[in-house]
Amino acid sequence: MSTGPRNTWAAWARSVPPLAHTSTREPCHDPAATATRLARAGLADQYAVYETEGGTWHFAAGSEVRVTADTAGVTAQAAGRTWTSRTGGRPLAAFADALSALRDEDGEDEGGEGYKGGEGRHFYGWAAFELAHLLHADPAPAGDRPLLHALIPSVEVTLTGDSTVIRAVDGAWARKVADLLAEAADGRASHDEPTPDRTEGIIAAGCAAYGQAVARTVEDIRAGLLEKAVVSRKVPLPAGPRPDFAATYLAGRRANTPARSYLLDLGGYRAAGFSPETVLEVGDDGRVSTQPLAGTRALGADPAENERRRAELLSDPKEIHEHAVSVRLAWDEMAAVCRPGSVVAEEFMSVRRRGSVQHLASRVTGRLRPDAGPWDAFASLFPAITATGVPKRAALEALARHEDGPRGLYGGAVFRGSSRGALDAALVLRTLIGTENEAWLRAGAGVTAQSSPERETEETCEKLRSVAPYLRLSAD
């Protein structure tokens, strides 16, 4: 059915069943493994695992309630019904309107820990990189593919060091999850693991073409078209056994130190990723934060060599310039949606370890204006500067010229949000991505006037080593 947008989303939200059953159990000793085991269980045709700050894992699953947006329209489903609305070329605004209708339907669960006094109803989803063209540049490259997708789960499990909390739409869902949590851990072995030679072979694919793209981008920068562009290359996985996303996620998470991690099968994408930074973090109190990382050196097993590279990173003019222009633009994008005088750099040019690399890192924070919400902040900050460039519009135009095909999920965001206004969005980097027919890795490097094709190519290899060695292949 299709009616006026406000009536459409109100009717949809009224059809979304609340998570009426809440129970609390003892904490599990290995939240990452437990969340992965729940993902493997096949409880529904869509699921997401999302790791937030402080060692908290969230698992969500469901089939019935979802929202998807493309350039032309938004489609929402619940209770076996479908609602649609045109976007007028503004899919993010229409998507946000649909999700905001959930706030008006917040209720109270049986345990008294319900939405009216708690966090609200949660949703999990992704935003494709091509959404950026509609927000900041020429809309033509956005195409007709889905740009946003969210699941409102039938069951959600939060795993912390203190407790395991199950919230479900009914007792049947709650019992399914409780039974799985009571079972022994899944001990299945992976079918295959890449050897070092094979890993390096995967990483090396497409290096020559990438170096040429970097050289063309440097020419654009020196011609004054832009200051910086984050040029990436796609690395398709070789033909053969399909990747085991759950096993890859668990192996990769053991070896990485991400800001966020995620494992999902949502809206046509599968992903196992170890994000080095967030696009934004919005609290339901209006505090908003973004965490730009730019400037990279390898991180290996030799402490002395790591320290040498760290010192080099902190003194390299190219890396410092790349980082500084990213922080400057992050500040401007935050100021566009925050209260005057509230934007500050709480951290500037620290060094963060992220798996196989170390980055220069900063954090910019502020307070949202009274007339701005989490999706306004998302619209201003997305896609992350560290996945596009400076200025953002010119960088997007350069990427459309020099990269081969659309990015899709890479450089976009995976997010967890609440009807109360919280939104936590991880930048999709260091990620195994798949669709029904293919799977791939992707990595990029920040290109400035001082860049060399050889160094930027090697930087992509360094980043790919955060994922490629941990690929696990399915025995099916």
Side-chain angles (χ1 to χ4, degrees):
M1 64 176 58
S2 179
T3 59
R6 179 171 298 182
N7 291 336
T8 297
W9 306 135
W12 169 73
R14 285 194 296 270
S15 299
V16 176
L19 297 185
H21 291 250
T22 299
S23 61
T24 302
R25 301 167 57 94
E26 292 296 316
C28 58
H29 76 282
D30 191 338
T34 300
T36 303
R37 180 154 50 92
L38 291 171
R40 280 193 183 279
L43 290 170
D45 68 353
Q46 295 198 98
Y47 72 79
V49 171
Y50 192 81
E51 179 192 3
T52 53
E53 207 165 19
T56 297
W57 270 261
H58 304 276
F59 167 79
S63 303
E64 298 295 323
V65 187
R66 62 189 75 180
V67 184
T68 304
D70 59 24
T71 303
V74 177
T75 300
Q77 296 174 311
R81 303 168 66 191
T82 300
W83 291 261
T84 63
S85 178
R86 307 296 291 176
T87 68
R90 301 175 65 241
L92 180 58
F95 183 79
D97 285 345
L99 291 173
S100 66
L102 291 172
R103 184 182 183 106
D104 295 333
E105 300 303 316
D106 282 355
E108 189 168 307
D109 65 17
E110 291 180 354
E113 301 175 12
Y115 307 144
K116 290 183 179 177
E119 298 178 340
R121 190 66 188 267
H122 293 125
F123 51 84
Y124 296 75
W126 52 256
F129 181 81
E130 281 65 43
L131 174 65
H133 295 286
L134 290 167
L135 294 173
H136 306 292
D138 177 5
D144 58 2
R145 297 169 296 273
L147 299 172
L148 294 146
H149 182 82
L151 166 73
I152 294 82
S154 298
V155 65
E156 182 179 32
V157 183
T158 298
L159 304 155
T160 71
D162 298 322
S163 65
T164 299
V165 178
I166 304 170
R167 300 173 76 194
V169 295
D170 56 35
W173 271 104
R175 285 190 296 274
K176 286 179 188 178
V177 171
D179 289 345
L180 285 168
L181 291 172
E183 292 176 2
D186 185 348
R188 78 178 73 180
S190 58
H191 176 65
D192 187 25
E193 300 177 13
T195 63
D197 287 345
R198 185 176 170 205
T199 295
E200 291 303 307
I202 293 171
I203 288 171
C207 282
Y210 179 75
Q212 294 168 6
V214 170
R216 293 193 298 270
T217 305
V218 170
E219 291 176 0
D220 287 351
I221 294 169
R222 291 177 178 172
L225 299 182
L226 69 161
E227 285 188 68
K228 170 188 171 182
V230 182
V231 183
S232 68
R233 63 186 178 98
K234 183 177 180 179
V235 182
L237 296 192
R242 296 172 65 87
D244 184 328
F245 281 80
T248 298
Y249 172 75
L250 193 56
R253 182 59 187 86
R254 302 289 197 219
N256 274 278
T257 50
R260 300 290 187 272
S261 73
Y262 41 82
L263 170 67
L264 59 85
D265 189 343
L266 283 178
Y269 279 113
R270 302 187 72 190
F274 320 103
S275 175
E277 62 187 278
T278 54
V279 179
L280 84 166
E281 303 157 47
V282 183
D284 55 15
D285 61 353
R287 183 180 188 274
V288 60
S289 168
T290 189
Q291 184 187 38
L293 272 65
T296 306
R297 285 294 184 273
L299 185 65
D302 183 343
E305 179 63 12
N306 288 338
E307 185 58 33
R308 185 194 69 77
R309 290 170 177 161
R310 180 181 184 277
E312 182 181 85
L313 179 60
L314 286 165
S315 60
D316 186 297
K318 183 266 180 185
E319 305 290 2
I320 292 171
H321 175 259
E322 178 187 348
H323 187 80
V325 296
S326 297
V327 174
R328 184 193 69 205
L329 185 53
W331 183 290
D332 292 343
E333 291 178 342
M334 289 277 285
V337 293
C338 287
R339 298 171 185 266
S342 70
V343 178
V344 297
E346 291 189 351
E347 176 186 18
F348 183 69
M349 254 178 53
S350 300
V351 176
R352 296 286 183 188
R353 296 186 170 207
R354 294 290 188 252
S356 59
V357 293
Q358 47 191 327
H359 293 292
L360 294 177
S362 295
R363 181 175 290 279
V364 182
T365 66
R367 291 279 174 179
L368 288 177
R369 297 193 317 262
D371 62 338
W375 292 107
D376 297 302
F378 187 87
S380 185
L381 290 162
F382 181 88
I385 296 154
T386 49
T388 49
V390 180
K392 192 170 277 187
R393 181 188 179 97
L396 287 166
E397 292 169 349
L399 297 179
R401 290 192 298 273
H402 301 313
E403 291 188 344
D404 183 15
R407 287 183 172 187
L409 198 58
Y410 175 84
V414 170
F415 54 77
R416 176 180 187 261
S418 162
S419 58
R420 292 297 192 194
L423 182 63
D424 191 286
L427 174 58
V428 179
L429 304 177
R430 322 291 150 79
T431 298
L432 168 65
I433 303 171
T435 59
E436 184 177 353
N437 300 316
E438 63 173 334
W440 63 93
L441 305 175
R442 193 161 189 142
V447 178
T448 69
Q450 297 82 31
S451 289
S452 72
E454 296 76 18
R455 170 59 202 148
E456 306 309 348
T457 300
E458 177 54 31
E459 182 172 319
T460 66
C461 293
E462 293 166 357
K463 292 171 178 176
L464 288 165
R465 292 186 188 106
S466 290
V467 184
Y470 312 107
L471 290 172
R472 302 294 181 262
L473 303 181
S474 173
D476 298 335

